[in-house]
Amino acid sequence: MPLWGVEPDCNPKGACRLNSSNESAKNALFTPGFAQDPYPVYARMREEEPIAKLMFPDGQFGWMITRYEDAVDVLKDNRFIKDMTKIFGNGYQSIFTSNMLFSDPPDHRRLRGLVQQGFTPKLVESMREHIQQIADGLLDAVEGRSEMSLIDDFAFPLPIIVISEILGVPIEDQDKFRVWSNSIIGASNSEEGPQVYQHMQEFTAYLGQWFEKVRQEPGDDLISQLIMAEEAGEKLSEQEIYGVVALLIIAGHETTVNLIGNGMISLLQHPDQLRKLQEDPSLVKGAIEEMLRYNGPVEFSTSRWAGEDLEFRGHQMKRGDLVVVALDSADRDGEQFADPDLFDITRERSRHLAFGHGIHMCLGAPLARLEGEIAVNTLLRRFPNIRLREDAGELEWRPGMIVRGVKEIPLSL
């Protein structure tokens, strides 16, 4: 049964509309077909109830923010906290929450400061030639074939190779990372099951074994730097080093995988925009920004909680209330973006929220942008006749409430 007990009307391509104009848009949230095309539902949410109290797929009640201006204010309002232990106590802490994404100042500043030195725009730009070599090598492997699997053959291995090299973990373990990452990310809905906990334990055990190797033979990679900082004391705890590295492995490739996947779907569904980019590859920077805005790789922000009883836009929120920002909805807000449902790679640079906003804005954004630029232009240069092998409406979208992406994209070359 759908979450709200009312089945929406979904067409064969998965786009949903409400059965009656009198029904709330909330009735269509998280129902079958919603993942294929959530944007008509979001449009109604922004119009009817932009700050909505509802039940999420995991059974939690909380607030969903769907308008751009409200989203920005929530993301930078320090009354909404990220450290769940302040609300629920230390019993809820794990290695997957012991990092900058789930911390507040001053811990956030300390943790982020240790990591961001590995992701400065200048350092990332210096990796351009090497990332290009990786992209060409992956496409060399499918040269001469008539078809390819975009995610398996290209969109997944490219960023996982890059983040593995930055961190210093074995690239040959990338398939393990994919299983663990997909499982942990998918646990943001109610279908997680006991296998998720098994994968968490396997991931933790793997990291522990790798950290021991690094302590014995440190290198010049980022994990070695973090281990050395931990051993220097007062900079990083044992729990925090697990949390930071787990975050970097998972977030370090998830965003880029879905940026490439969702972006290519958007391009292939808009042949006029595809031709523009093929005729003028210099448009790629704007194209990537539009891909991020139009069908972004991160659909919802990670959880925030009201740190106190407060009022926000006339709504009374209690201490401990869950607050989630629908980033992809905010990026289709007509109050912020002209013709928001139009995919236009020449759109003037937009202040989209695909990488978040405020102190928790994704520190890997420069790397994700560069990987996206190289991936898209290289694909179009090497395979100018690239096409989807099946209707976009038939693609299976991944479950969960954080990332937005499809499981696989079959392409004709």
Side-chain angles (χ1 to χ4, degrees):
M1 175 179 290
L3 185 61
W4 292 93
V6 178
E7 183 74 35
D9 181 10
C10 299
N11 67 28
K13 292 188 176 183
C16 298
R17 63 178 175 81
L18 302 177
N19 292 325
S20 166
S21 60
N22 295 324
E23 293 173 359
S24 167
K26 288 191 297 190
N27 291 333
L29 285 170
F30 313 123
T31 51
F34 172 75
Q36 259 81 3
D37 185 12
Y39 297 105
V41 178
Y42 287 144
R44 285 284 299 274
M45 290 286 290
R46 292 192 301 270
E47 178 184 349
E48 295 176 356
E49 200 172 355
I51 302 173
K53 188 73 175 289
L54 49 81
M55 182 189 288
F56 292 101
D58 63 0
Q60 291 188 81
F61 278 94
W63 300 88
M64 179 184 287
I65 313 297
T66 53
R67 284 182 182 168
Y68 182 92
E69 185 178 353
D70 297 336
V72 168
D73 285 349
V74 166
L75 294 175
K76 67 181 183 181
D77 190 332
N78 60 16
R79 296 178 300 170
F80 298 108
I81 62 176
K82 298 284 288 178
D83 185 351
M84 68 176 69
T85 65
K86 295 177 180 177
I87 302 295
F88 305 109
N90 291 330
Y92 284 84
Q93 191 174 39
S94 74
I95 71 161
F96 299 101
T97 59
S98 299
N99 54 57
M100 52 277 191
L101 187 58
F102 294 99
S103 62
D104 303 307
D107 284 337
H108 172 269
R109 189 179 305 109
R110 172 176 58 86
L111 293 170
R112 188 179 176 104
L114 286 168
V115 177
Q116 66 184 8
Q117 58 188 332
F119 297 92
T120 63
K122 183 178 180 180
L123 183 58
V124 167
E125 182 59 32
S126 72
M127 300 171 64
R128 178 180 291 274
E129 183 177 347
H130 181 54
I131 295 174
Q132 182 65 64
Q133 291 171 350
I134 295 171
D136 283 327
L138 291 169
L139 294 184
D140 285 345
V142 299
E143 188 76 45
R145 286 164 40 181
S146 62
E147 58 190 47
M148 72 178 287
S149 171
L150 179 62
I151 303 298
D152 284 346
D153 292 332
F154 190 60
F156 170 75
L158 174 62
I160 200 66
I161 290 172
V162 173
I163 194 63
S164 296
E165 290 183 350
I166 291 173
L167 292 173
V169 294
I171 295 172
E172 57 266 26
D173 290 334
Q174 61 180 264
D175 289 337
K176 295 179 183 178
F177 297 151
R178 185 178 189 178
V179 171
W180 294 330
S181 176
N182 285 348
S183 180
I184 294 165
I185 289 289
S188 58
N189 65 16
S190 57
E191 302 173 2
E192 50 189 85
Q195 193 173 35
V196 174
Y197 300 102
Q198 177 186 338
H199 289 156
M200 288 180 175
Q201 291 174 344
E202 291 173 357
F203 193 16
T204 303
Y206 176 92
L207 292 181
Q209 293 172 3
W210 188 251
F211 293 164
E212 284 306 310
K213 292 181 181 179
V214 171
R215 286 189 174 96
Q216 295 172 17
E217 297 181 19
D220 57 2
D221 53 81
L222 188 53
I223 288 182
S224 294
Q225 294 175 28
L226 294 173
I227 291 286
M228 299 303 289
E230 175 208 21
E231 294 187 343
E234 298 184 1
K235 290 186 177 181
L236 209 63
S237 69
E238 177 78 9
Q239 180 94 340
E240 287 169 343
I241 192 170
Y242 274 93
V244 168
V245 173
L247 174 64
L248 291 174
I249 290 175
I250 295 172
H253 77 276
E254 281 286 358
T255 300
T256 309
V257 170
N258 297 309
L259 163 57
I260 297 169
N262 297 0
M264 286 303 300
I265 291 172
S266 297
L267 269 181
L268 294 171
Q269 286 183 303
H270 297 84
D272 60 324
Q273 301 300 301
L274 177 63
R275 284 193 298 273
K276 281 184 182 179
L277 187 54
Q278 286 178 315
E279 292 169 1
D280 185 0
S282 69
L283 295 176
V284 70
K285 288 185 181 293
I288 293 299
E289 298 308 308
E290 181 67 345
M291 292 172 184
L292 289 164
R293 182 202 70 83
Y294 183 76
N295 198 9
V298 182
E299 188 163 3
F300 295 94
S301 69
T302 49
S303 300
R304 284 166 170 74
W305 290 270
E308 59 190 65
D309 291 349
L310 58 88
E311 179 182 333
F312 182 80
R313 298 284 199 273
H315 295 268
Q316 299 299 322
M317 299 182 180
K318 298 293 186 181
R319 182 179 183 275
D321 276 3
L322 173 66
V323 181
V324 174
V325 174
L327 300 171
D328 280 354
S329 173
D331 283 342
R332 291 284 191 104
D333 189 340
E335 295 296 315
Q336 175 68 22
F337 305 98
D339 296 320
D341 295 321
L342 177 69
F343 181 68
D344 179 8
I345 67 170
T346 61
R347 184 185 295 270
E348 291 186 9
R349 188 176 178 88
S350 61
R351 295 180 177 274
H352 62 72
L353 302 180
F355 292 118
H357 185 78
I359 65 171
H360 291 283
M361 187 172 180
C362 177
L363 63 79
L367 179 59
R369 284 184 165 107
L370 177 60
E371 290 172 327
E373 292 172 17
I374 291 172
V376 170
N377 264 359
T378 306
L379 269 171
L380 299 185
R381 173 174 53 81
R382 298 280 298 267
F383 303 107
N385 298 316
I386 196 168
R387 295 290 184 273
L388 287 171
R389 282 173 48 211
E390 61 185 55
D391 191 286
E394 301 301 317
L395 298 175
E396 184 180 359
W397 291 81
R398 292 171 57 186
M401 268 199 59
I402 299 178
V403 301
R404 175 165 173 75
V406 293
K407 291 185 176 181
E408 195 43 77
I409 304 173
L411 296 178
S412 169
L413 302 181

